[in-house]
Amino acid sequence: MRPSNVWGEGDYLHEPLQVLPTWIKNVKAGKELVVLGENTTRDFTHISDFVEGIVLASEQDGFEIFNLASGVETRLLDIAKNLSDNVVVKPLPEHEVGRWRGDITKARSLLNWEPKGEFWEEFEKYKQKLLK
């Protein structure tokens, strides 16, 4: 499995490695949110979609590598501004990937897997739960 920015229930366990729980922690602490690159995107996969993909892959014969992602780019600056007015954009380091969207064609085809969660809808629930 190749997960792509898995997020959702329990992702605070991966802070500071994951951007969403790190930003939630910073919002709660009144700190600024730092975005590297104005147009940087990532492909976020909800934990429920990721788990479903793992289950489907485990039921297959043989060995295959699958990208489990949403297949949709989401701009980090949009997420940060949704969370806070205290956002700072810094240049994207040369070694960082500016845009990322996972190719889920193989998982769709061989596993009949499709991500169900729409990022912004699920993100609002996530945000409300963690920022209350």
Side-chain angles (χ1 to χ4, degrees):
M1 295 301 115
R2 288 189 190 145
S4 179
N5 296 289
V6 177
W7 69 284
E9 188 76 29
D11 68 356
Y12 60 88
L13 299 170
H14 299 288
E15 184 272 318
L17 300 175
Q18 295 286 341
V19 69
L20 297 182
T22 299
W23 282 352
I24 292 288
K25 180 180 175 182
N26 287 352
V27 167
K28 286 181 170 183
K31 295 180 180 178
E32 67 185 18
L33 304 185
V34 177
V35 178
L36 300 178
E38 186 174 344
N39 292 308
T40 301
T41 65
R42 293 294 178 262
D43 186 332
F44 290 94
T45 309
H46 194 270
I47 185 66
S48 60
D49 290 329
F50 181 65
V51 169
E52 180 186 20
I54 290 172
V55 170
L56 289 171
S58 73
E59 296 169 347
Q60 300 294 307
D61 291 330
F63 176 82
E64 294 285 342
I65 297 172
F66 297 100
N67 291 329
L68 296 180
S70 70
V72 177
E73 289 181 72
T74 303
R75 195 167 77 133
L76 295 181
L77 183 58
D78 295 336
I79 299 170
K81 286 183 174 181
N82 181 280
L83 287 170
S84 174
D85 293 328
N86 191 6
V87 176
V88 175
V89 178
K90 294 185 177 181
L92 182 70
E94 287 185 28
H95 66 276
E96 287 284 340
V97 174
R99 295 179 64 190
W100 169 250
R101 180 184 61 84
D103 180 355
I104 59 175
T105 305
K106 187 175 179 183
R108 280 179 167 147
S109 172
L110 297 180
L111 300 178
N112 198 27
W113 176 84
E114 189 72 35
K116 293 176 181 56
E118 191 276 323
F119 177 79
W120 289 108
E121 181 180 320
E122 294 299 324
F123 181 73
E124 281 302 315
K125 295 178 210 172
Y126 170 86
K127 179 176 83 169
Q128 295 305 318
K129 181 177 182 179
L130 294 177
L131 291 179
K132 64 179 175 180

